[in-house]
Amino acid sequence: MGYNEEDFLQLSGLQHFHFCRRRWALIHIEQQWAENFRTIDGALMHEHAHDKDFRESRGDCFITRGMHVFSAELGVSGECDVLEFHKDPNGVFLSQKEGLWLPYLVEYKRGKPNAQSGDTLQLCGQAMCLESMLCCEIPEGALYYGELRRRVPVAFTEELRQRVTAALAEMHDLVRRGSTPKVKPTKGCNACSLKELCLPKLLRTQSASAYIREHWEEAADETTP
């Protein structure tokens, strides 16, 4: 049984969720957002990659950008930065194209490879959506990192696919319950654009309810004759 379209999550949320569940919930459940240098720089990098009018053919390769993808089974949708179709006997038929074409996804990232970033989950999620839409198997894609200025290949292994499925299931459950996870402070908190909204130092020491109760009691004592 699949999800209704109104319940679809954003593919980009996979990266946020892997980096920090609380950050993901603040953005995708509580609809909070704040910019910093990293978010603005990343947005500028994606402007050209999401040019939906862009089409280009290079021999046995056809390139498009900003393609919308979704999966009712996973309950997720989003856009691909760059989607290449390479002529391949294991590919699929494309309208107005001769032969078979195998999809190859390329996602743009501003920094450099980081195992904690969740970049591979987002890319694999895109591939799983395309596989559902085109009825094909996509073995790999690539992440293009701005600092490296080159592509890093990513194999869509069974283990990676299971991690995508498990993450999306947990995300759907949190949305259904309207639950925002508690903070787990890490070194990455200092670079997070939502640091002032999340208040990791405050929540690390005590719960928000305890903080409010403590300060209410202090205020009450000050006004008591």
Side-chain angles (χ1 to χ4, degrees):
M1 184 179 68
Y3 292 88
N4 295 322
E5 187 174 352
E6 59 267 25
D7 297 323
F8 283 4
L9 302 175
Q10 295 181 28
L11 267 169
S12 59
L14 278 166
Q15 181 189 24
H16 294 146
F17 188 76
H18 180 80
F19 177 75
C20 174
R21 283 164 166 72
R22 180 172 176 82
R23 173 183 169 83
W24 169 82
L26 289 173
I27 296 172
H28 296 273
I29 296 180
E30 299 189 14
Q31 303 296 308
Q32 299 194 55
W33 183 247
E35 297 279 13
N36 66 7
F37 169 76
R38 289 176 173 80
T39 60
I40 294 173
D41 190 43
L44 290 174
M45 172 177 264
H46 280 79
E47 277 188 3
H48 181 57
H50 281 181
D51 181 2
K52 296 181 180 180
D53 295 326
F54 180 89
R55 298 287 188 278
E56 183 180 2
S57 293
R58 300 177 184 173
D60 289 341
C61 178
F62 172 68
I63 306 170
T64 184
R65 292 177 177 167
M67 180 175 175
H68 180 76
V69 295
F70 70 93
S71 168
E73 181 181 357
L74 295 173
V76 68
S77 66
E79 290 186 351
C80 306
D81 283 351
V82 175
L83 176 56
E84 300 176 351
F85 288 92
H86 298 263
K87 261 195 172 179
D88 191 294
N90 296 316
V92 297
F93 288 103
L94 295 179
S95 176
Q96 301 180 351
K97 291 287 183 182
E98 293 184 1
L100 298 176
W101 301 80
L102 186 65
Y104 190 88
L105 291 152
V106 183
E107 181 72 10
Y108 279 62
K109 298 299 178 183
R110 64 171 297 276
K112 56 186 177 181
N114 184 340
Q116 302 303 316
S117 68
D119 295 341
T120 57
L121 291 178
Q122 182 182 353
L123 185 67
C124 186
Q126 293 176 0
M128 294 169 72
C129 287
L130 266 177
E131 289 176 335
S132 177
M133 294 168 62
L134 301 178
C135 298
C136 68
E137 183 177 342
I138 304 174
E140 69 173 42
L143 292 163
Y144 178 91
Y145 287 98
E147 287 190 23
L148 299 182
R149 302 186 67 83
R150 64 176 175 84
R151 295 180 177 185
V152 176
V154 177
F156 301 135
T157 63
E158 184 59 31
E159 186 270 340
L160 183 57
R161 292 169 183 271
Q162 290 177 1
R163 287 171 57 200
V164 170
T165 302
L168 286 171
E170 187 176 348
M171 291 158 68
H172 275 291
D173 181 61
L174 288 171
V175 170
R176 180 182 58 81
R177 293 189 287 112
S179 175
T180 298
K182 292 183 179 180
V183 69
K184 293 183 178 179
T186 66
K187 293 180 180 179
C189 290
N190 291 327
C192 179
S193 65
L194 299 185
K195 182 173 63 174
E196 299 304 320
L197 297 172
C198 175
L199 301 176
K201 291 184 179 180
L202 169 63
L203 295 180
R204 177 174 54 188
T205 56
Q206 59 183 326
S207 68
S209 60
Y211 175 84
I212 294 172
R213 183 171 59 251
E214 176 185 322
H215 284 70
W216 182 87
E217 292 173 350
E218 289 178 357
D221 290 340
E222 292 177 358
T223 57
T224 300

